[in-house]
Amino acid sequence: MLDGPHLAPRSGRPATSLVVLLHGYGADGRDLIDLGQMWAPLLPDAAFVSPHAPEPLTIAPVGRQWFGYVERNDAERWAGVQSAHAALDGFLDAELARLGLGGDRLALVGFSQGTMMALHTGLRRKVAPAGIVGFSGIHVLPGERGIPAFDGEITARPPVLLVHGDRDEIIAPPYLARAVESLSARGIAVRSHLAPGLGHGIDPVGLRLAGAFLADVLKG
């Protein structure tokens, strides 16, 4: 069972929404939980949780991974998001049940490998999340033969915001345009921002855009 650091709603009231923060390869849940503190003024009734990925990092003695990431190609990524999907999906169900919230009160925020998981699992939820934010990530696709089955698996079409640095040295910037194209082709409303001068990270503009997006999709 996944677990990681939690933040209760800033308001002190019962949570009316849940934001789940999915870290990147080699980090852990502590890497992103501070985003909850930054966005809490915009989302005073939101609970935040940042689970540690299910596997220890295979190439170092510290850190976690959603899946092994050695070859860094489409085949490895596709196998990886499939292998980690059930654990994340179950965790989301458990956290929503713990807070007494419906699936439509969920937002997913991912960074890098966490974005891959947010998009893969978020689009396969029984109830569509309120929204998905992806920083510096990839919308993972199968090989051409697998596309019909892939399309049949999509059960949710929440709005998506993608942010990527134009100097990203880990996940090449063209993956942003590829994700926008693949999501749009599947009827998903997607907004994107290519951050000038930004490498593989999150900058203040991206934080502001994401905070405003979350406040909008989780309002009410």
PDB file of all heavy atoms in Angstrom, residues 198-211:
ATOM      1  N   LEU A 198      13.690  27.327 -19.066  1.00  0.00           N
ATOM      2  CA  LEU A 198      13.552  26.383 -17.949  1.00  0.00           C
ATOM      3  C   LEU A 198      14.040  25.002 -18.353  1.00  0.00           C
ATOM      4  O   LEU A 198      13.699  24.493 -19.423  1.00  0.00           O
ATOM      5  CB  LEU A 198      12.089  26.305 -17.503  1.00  0.00           C
ATOM      6  CG  LEU A 198      11.780  25.323 -16.358  1.00  0.00           C
ATOM      7  CD1 LEU A 198      12.461  25.768 -15.064  1.00  0.00           C
ATOM      8  CD2 LEU A 198      10.268  25.195 -16.156  1.00  0.00           C
ATOM      9  N   GLY A 199      14.822  24.365 -17.489  1.00  0.00           N
ATOM     10  CA  GLY A 199      15.249  22.991 -17.676  1.00  0.00           C
ATOM     11  C   GLY A 199      14.225  22.024 -17.109  1.00  0.00           C
ATOM     12  O   GLY A 199      13.013  22.256 -17.158  1.00  0.00           O
ATOM     13  N   HIS A 200      14.705  20.939 -16.521  1.00  0.00           N
ATOM     14  CA  HIS A 200      13.823  19.901 -15.985  1.00  0.00           C
ATOM     15  C   HIS A 200      13.427  20.293 -14.564  1.00  0.00           C
ATOM     16  O   HIS A 200      14.069  19.884 -13.583  1.00  0.00           O
ATOM     17  CB  HIS A 200      14.555  18.558 -15.993  1.00  0.00           C
ATOM     18  CG  HIS A 200      13.662  17.371 -15.797  1.00  0.00           C
ATOM     19  ND1 HIS A 200      12.649  17.035 -16.671  1.00  0.00           N
ATOM     20  CD2 HIS A 200      13.638  16.432 -14.809  1.00  0.00           C
ATOM     21  CE1 HIS A 200      12.049  15.943 -16.238  1.00  0.00           C
ATOM     22  NE2 HIS A 200      12.619  15.559 -15.108  1.00  0.00           N
ATOM     23  N   GLY A 201      12.405  21.100 -14.457  1.00  0.00           N
ATOM     24  CA  GLY A 201      12.010  21.601 -13.149  1.00  0.00           C
ATOM     25  C   GLY A 201      10.701  22.358 -13.226  1.00  0.00           C
ATOM     26  O   GLY A 201       9.985  22.320 -14.233  1.00  0.00           O
ATOM     27  N   ILE A 202      10.395  23.044 -12.140  1.00  0.00           N
ATOM     28  CA  ILE A 202       9.161  23.827 -12.020  1.00  0.00           C
ATOM     29  C   ILE A 202       9.559  25.244 -11.644  1.00  0.00           C
ATOM     30  O   ILE A 202      10.306  25.440 -10.681  1.00  0.00           O
ATOM     31  CB  ILE A 202       8.225  23.228 -10.948  1.00  0.00           C
ATOM     32  CG1 ILE A 202       7.912  21.760 -11.255  1.00  0.00           C
ATOM     33  CG2 ILE A 202       6.939  24.042 -10.841  1.00  0.00           C
ATOM     34  CD1 ILE A 202       7.127  21.050 -10.152  1.00  0.00           C
ATOM     35  N   ASP A 203       9.061  26.223 -12.378  1.00  0.00           N
ATOM     36  CA  ASP A 203       9.414  27.611 -12.079  1.00  0.00           C
ATOM     37  C   ASP A 203       8.204  28.356 -11.506  1.00  0.00           C
ATOM     38  O   ASP A 203       7.094  27.811 -11.450  1.00  0.00           O
ATOM     39  CB  ASP A 203       9.982  28.318 -13.315  1.00  0.00           C
ATOM     40  CG  ASP A 203       8.948  28.514 -14.421  1.00  0.00           C
ATOM     41  OD1 ASP A 203       7.768  28.136 -14.247  1.00  0.00           O
ATOM     42  OD2 ASP A 203       9.334  29.061 -15.484  1.00  0.00           O
ATOM     43  N   PRO A 204       8.386  29.600 -11.039  1.00  0.00           N
ATOM     44  CA  PRO A 204       7.274  30.337 -10.435  1.00  0.00           C
ATOM     45  C   PRO A 204       6.074  30.526 -11.363  1.00  0.00           C
ATOM     46  O   PRO A 204       4.925  30.504 -10.905  1.00  0.00           O
ATOM     47  CB  PRO A 204       7.909  31.680 -10.064  1.00  0.00           C
ATOM     48  CG  PRO A 204       9.350  31.363  -9.835  1.00  0.00           C
ATOM     49  CD  PRO A 204       9.678  30.311 -10.855  1.00  0.00           C
ATOM     50  N   VAL A 205       6.319  30.697 -12.656  1.00  0.00           N
ATOM     51  CA  VAL A 205       5.200  30.846 -13.584  1.00  0.00           C
ATOM     52  C   VAL A 205       4.388  29.553 -13.646  1.00  0.00           C
ATOM     53  O   VAL A 205       3.153  29.571 -13.613  1.00  0.00           O
ATOM     54  CB  VAL A 205       5.697  31.250 -14.984  1.00  0.00           C
ATOM     55  CG1 VAL A 205       4.541  31.252 -15.980  1.00  0.00           C
ATOM     56  CG2 VAL A 205       6.359  32.623 -14.941  1.00  0.00           C
ATOM     57  N   GLY A 206       5.073  28.422 -13.722  1.00  0.00           N
ATOM     58  CA  GLY A 206       4.377  27.144 -13.733  1.00  0.00           C
ATOM     59  C   GLY A 206       3.581  26.908 -12.459  1.00  0.00           C
ATOM     60  O   GLY A 206       2.452  26.404 -12.500  1.00  0.00           O
ATOM     61  N   LEU A 207       4.157  27.282 -11.325  1.00  0.00           N
ATOM     62  CA  LEU A 207       3.437  27.153 -10.055  1.00  0.00           C
ATOM     63  C   LEU A 207       2.171  27.998 -10.051  1.00  0.00           C
ATOM     64  O   LEU A 207       1.113  27.565  -9.590  1.00  0.00           O
ATOM     65  CB  LEU A 207       4.346  27.568  -8.898  1.00  0.00           C
ATOM     66  CG  LEU A 207       5.483  26.607  -8.545  1.00  0.00           C
ATOM     67  CD1 LEU A 207       6.393  27.249  -7.511  1.00  0.00           C
ATOM     68  CD2 LEU A 207       4.926  25.284  -8.024  1.00  0.00           C
ATOM     69  N   ARG A 208       2.292  29.203 -10.583  1.00  0.00           N
ATOM     70  CA  ARG A 208       1.126  30.104 -10.609  1.00  0.00           C
ATOM     71  C   ARG A 208       0.049  29.567 -11.551  1.00  0.00           C
ATOM     72  O   ARG A 208      -1.144  29.554 -11.201  1.00  0.00           O
ATOM     73  CB  ARG A 208       1.566  31.502 -11.040  1.00  0.00           C
ATOM     74  CG  ARG A 208       0.414  32.497 -11.173  1.00  0.00           C
ATOM     75  CD  ARG A 208       0.907  33.888 -11.515  1.00  0.00           C
ATOM     76  NE  ARG A 208       1.695  33.917 -12.740  1.00  0.00           N
ATOM     77  CZ  ARG A 208       1.164  33.896 -13.962  1.00  0.00           C
ATOM     78  NH1 ARG A 208      -0.140  33.809 -14.119  1.00  0.00           N
ATOM     79  NH2 ARG A 208       1.951  33.955 -15.021  1.00  0.00           N
ATOM     80  N   LEU A 209       0.452  29.128 -12.728  1.00  0.00           N
ATOM     81  CA  LEU A 209      -0.519  28.581 -13.675  1.00  0.00           C
ATOM     82  C   LEU A 209      -1.228  27.354 -13.103  1.00  0.00           C
ATOM     83  O   LEU A 209      -2.443  27.199 -13.228  1.00  0.00           O
ATOM     84  CB  LEU A 209       0.183  28.213 -14.979  1.00  0.00           C
ATOM     85  CG  LEU A 209       0.701  29.376 -15.834  1.00  0.00           C
ATOM     86  CD1 LEU A 209       1.542  28.845 -16.988  1.00  0.00           C
ATOM     87  CD2 LEU A 209      -0.446  30.227 -16.355  1.00  0.00           C
ATOM     88  N   ALA A 210      -0.449  26.481 -12.477  1.00  0.00           N
ATOM     89  CA  ALA A 210      -1.032  25.269 -11.908  1.00  0.00           C
ATOM     90  C   ALA A 210      -1.971  25.587 -10.758  1.00  0.00           C
ATOM     91  O   ALA A 210      -3.045  24.988 -10.633  1.00  0.00           O
ATOM     92  CB  ALA A 210       0.078  24.329 -11.445  1.00  0.00           C
ATOM     93  N   GLY A 211      -1.574  26.523  -9.892  1.00  0.00           N
ATOM     94  CA  GLY A 211      -2.443  26.899  -8.781  1.00  0.00           C
ATOM     95  C   GLY A 211      -3.765  27.459  -9.262  1.00  0.00           C
ATOM     96  O   GLY A 211      -4.837  27.117  -8.730  1.00  0.00           O
TER      97      GLY A 211
END
